Amino acid sequence: MEAAHLSADPAFAIAPVDRRLFGSFVEHMGRCVYTGIFEPGHPAADEDGLRSDVLALTRELGVSLVRYPGGNFVSGYRWEDGVGPAGERPRRLDLAWRTIETNAFGLNEFMRWAGRAQVESMMAVNLGTRGVIEAAELVEYCNLPGGTALADLRRKHGVAQPHDIRLWCLGNEMDGPWQTGNMTAYEYGRLAARAGHAMRKVDPTIELVACGSSNSGMPTFGSWEATVLEQAYDHVDYLSLHQYYDPEKVDPASFRASAVDLDEFIGSVIATADHVRAKLRRTKRIKLALDEWNVWYQSRFTEPEDRPIAEEPFRLIEDDYTVTDAMVVGNLLISMLRHADRLTVGCQAQLANIIAPIRTEPGGPAWRQTIFHPFALTAALARGTVLRTAVTGPMMSTGRFGAVPSVDSVAVHDPGRGELVLFVVNRGDHPVPLNLDLRAFGNPEVTEHLVLADADPQARNSVAEPERVVPRRAPQPVLDGGRTTVLLPPISWHALRCTVPAAS
Ligand code: AHR
């Protein structure tokens, strides 16, 4: 067995962890909203129909921020349909997913849910089929205290205090041919600039996210980002990235090494944004928002046009996640942390039922999928400053990326609490002994070693067996003068918590 070697040093600092990296996404799609987070009449529903079991799991997941209401859904959405007396709201055909949208749940219900979930909201405006004035009016409805028609309308709807939403998405995936109202990069860049400008006339303090490419495989990837930023640079703070990894689209080793692709994608977007910065001679740096990411068995997806209009929310892309998928999710979070100096917003897509860490049954229980665990533990433990780790060791061969390291990792150091946490994956299918060298921290001690792995890498949780896969505590390795060895089973995710002398 070839060993890997990992050393960490407090001097290898990247950036502080931004809590917004641990965001999620709620879209009006399938059963994410209806029978996901909202189910009046469910035994666990509160007086507003919000499922308290899902709220509790959302808090346990450690979600910091939630993007709403889409997604592709937003490009056909009129936000006005979802406010005011519930009995007077229109039934509409949702153009994205071809489902009847009853509008029983809308903006104010979402904000109530977000308050109970203790998450920040990230609101998307429709730039597919609507434009500048509707976007500005939504900011007015949400963020102005009163004294204008739409702020007063919100008050009339029973919400006296402004929602004060900080972070706004200027549309969704506008480069995608599937997007209602999709457009060219130039058209979108101009529209994003004009909408952003108007929205900031209403509330100059909001932060704006322009749409990047729908994924790095889009034919216009790279040129889309450059053109959009050339038009909108002064009006936006973030550029979005979306990326999903399909276990059935590539060979198994390439799937397990998906974080190699995410590293490359993030690096390319940073380079493109900085190219435009140089070209425009600006000093501001654009930040990145990976506001849709996950594992998604996308090759199983049926296009909405290929099925009849759905009258009721139905089971759409309710992927069951394996231990391997959970390791990949943990590794994608490692990649995100590694780019914490530029990537400061992340939204795992989605929160409930739709490619989600939380699953529910209508009228029945809610449970944690395998991917819940690395997310929850990373969100809970990654506090402080991200540190680059130096790792050498065995390589694995992949069809897509050639030879890549089997072991990947990042560290997070909180000198105030005297804690260092190492997040490590073995993405290879052989065990790897890992030699740790933490001598730069003085005389640290490992306090806890959490592992997600299974003899069956295809093991999953289900309504019948919701705790089939859970993280377990491995025997605590003893550090001898800052050095020790731990064994990483094949396809495994790890969090190693260490106390380090406070002065480090
Ligand atoms: O998250 C599911 C869908 O994937 C979103 O609606 C869209 O933005 C993306 O293509």
Side-chain angles (χ1 to χ4, degrees):
M1 268 192 287
E2 191 189 345
H5 305 267
L6 183 161
S7 46
D9 188 307
F12 298 171
I14 298 174
V17 177
D18 193 318
R19 301 308 303 164
R20 282 177 166 176
L21 275 180
F22 306 113
S24 189
F25 177 31
V26 166
E27 176 167 5
H28 285 248
M29 177 178 180
R31 298 195 309 113
C32 187
V33 171
Y34 300 108
T35 73
I37 64 170
F38 177 70
E39 190 178 344
H42 186 279
D46 65 16
E47 66 282 9
D48 296 308
L50 305 174
R51 281 187 65 155
S52 59
D53 52 351
V54 177
L55 278 168
L57 285 174
T58 303
R59 290 189 291 265
E60 182 187 323
L61 188 59
V63 170
S64 54
L65 168 88
V66 176
R67 182 170 176 250
Y68 176 82
N72 296 344
F73 172 80
V74 80
S75 291
Y77 187 51
R78 298 171 178 88
W79 64 266
E80 302 88 334
D81 288 349
V83 296
E88 294 171 19
R89 297 184 192 173
R91 284 166 64 84
R92 300 256 190 216
L93 172 62
D94 149 26
L95 302 179
W97 308 115
R98 301 186 77 239
T99 308
I100 299 299
E101 171 58 58
T102 62
N103 286 302
F105 188 94
L107 171 63
N108 293 322
E109 287 79 19
F110 174 72
M111 294 306 294
R112 195 173 301 137
W113 177 86
R116 288 181 199 162
Q118 296 158 15
V119 299
E120 182 186 354
S121 304
M122 180 186 197
M123 190 62 61
V125 300
N126 174 357
L127 291 189
T129 54
R130 307 190 90 191
V132 175
I133 193 64
E134 292 90 347
E137 285 176 353
L138 180 54
V139 180
E140 179 189 333
Y141 182 91
C142 290
N143 282 13
L144 292 198
T148 66
L150 292 172
D152 287 344
L153 183 63
R154 184 199 66 241
R155 296 172 70 97
K156 194 173 146 202
H157 292 160
V159 184
Q161 294 304 316
H163 290 308
D164 195 25
I165 297 170
R166 304 282 86 229
L167 197 55
W168 294 79
C169 302
L170 296 165
N172 177 68
E173 296 189 349
M174 297 307 304
D175 61 329
W178 58 85
Q179 197 68 219
T180 316
N182 72 87
M183 51 192 86
T184 66
Y186 180 78
E187 288 167 338
Y188 171 69
R190 285 295 305 136
L191 179 57
R194 290 165 52 230
H197 183 229
M199 290 162 76
R200 279 201 173 133
K201 280 180 186 276
V202 181
D203 182 349
T205 66
I206 57 177
E207 298 166 67
L208 296 173
V209 184
C211 294
S213 297
S214 298
N215 59 69
S216 60
M218 296 298 288
T220 50
F221 172 57
S223 65
W224 171 276
E225 281 74 5
T227 305
V228 168
L229 285 181
E230 278 163 17
Q231 300 308 315
Y233 202 93
D234 296 336
H235 298 285
V236 303
D237 307 288
Y238 294 86
L239 189 61
S240 76
L241 297 81
H242 290 183
Q243 198 75 345
Y244 294 101
Y245 293 98
D246 184 345
E248 294 174 346
K249 205 170 159 196
V250 289
D251 58 284
S254 297
F255 171 65
R256 296 198 305 269
S258 295
V260 171
D261 179 80
L262 186 61
D263 284 337
E264 174 74 23
F265 182 26
I266 295 170
S268 304
V269 177
I270 293 172
T272 308
D274 287 350
H275 162 76
V276 178
R277 174 178 179 261
K279 199 169 157 186
L280 300 181
R281 290 166 174 71
R282 297 294 191 266
T283 50
K284 169 177 100 176
R285 282 193 199 276
I286 297 290
K287 293 181 277 186
L288 271 49
L290 180 59
D291 57 19
E292 284 187 36
W293 68 271
N294 208 347
V295 171
W296 177 359
Y297 289 72
Q298 214 157 4
S299 29
R300 298 181 188 172
F301 178 59
T302 311
E303 294 299 334
E305 291 75 17
D306 297 338
R307 53 167 176 74
I309 290 170
E311 289 288 331
E312 299 289 336
F314 65 109
R315 290 177 193 266
L316 184 63
I317 57 169
E318 299 195 0
D319 288 353
D320 294 324
Y321 289 115
T322 66
V323 169
T324 305
D325 300 334
M327 183 280 290
V328 169
V329 162
N331 198 182
L332 296 174
L333 284 160
I334 288 173
S335 168
M336 290 164 68
L337 285 167
R338 193 164 29 235
H339 293 93
D341 52 341
R342 289 299 285 276
L343 179 77
T344 59
V345 171
C347 301
Q348 191 183 38
Q350 297 186 5
L351 179 70
N353 293 323
I354 293 271
I355 45 173
I358 300 172
R359 283 286 291 277
T360 70
E361 275 301 310
W367 68 98
R368 302 166 191 82
Q369 293 232 61
T370 58
I371 62 168
F372 185 100
H373 297 294
F375 188 109
L377 288 169
T378 306
L381 299 176
R383 291 182 185 269
T385 300
V386 184
L387 307 180
R388 200 175 305 286
T389 53
V391 182
T392 55
M395 304 293 280
M396 59 189 256
S397 76
T398 69
R400 200 167 156 211
F401 315 112
V404 304
S406 295
V407 174
D408 192 22
S409 69
V410 77
V412 181
H413 180 210
D414 185 344
R417 288 189 307 140
E419 184 166 74
L420 173 75
V421 183
L422 301 173
F423 298 99
V424 183
V425 285
N426 176 8
R427 44 197 184 189
D429 49 12
H430 297 289
V432 177
L434 176 68
N435 299 324
L436 293 177
D437 180 350
L438 305 178
R439 285 174 295 172
F441 291 90
N443 199 14
E445 277 176 35
V446 180
T447 53
E448 196 172 30
H449 177 187
L450 296 160
V451 185
L452 196 78
D454 200 280
D456 174 10
Q458 294 304 310
R460 303 149 208 250
N461 294 338
S462 63
V463 63
E465 227 184 338
E467 309 241 315
R468 164 71 183 79
V469 179
V470 289
R472 60 182 170 75
R473 270 197 184 84
Q476 250 161 258
V478 177
L479 277 163
D480 181 8
R483 300 173 108 164
T484 191
T485 301
V486 292
L487 187 69
L488 309 179
I491 312 179
S492 56
W493 175 92
H494 305 256
L496 284 138
R497 301 179 69 180
C498 313
T499 51
V500 292
S504 298

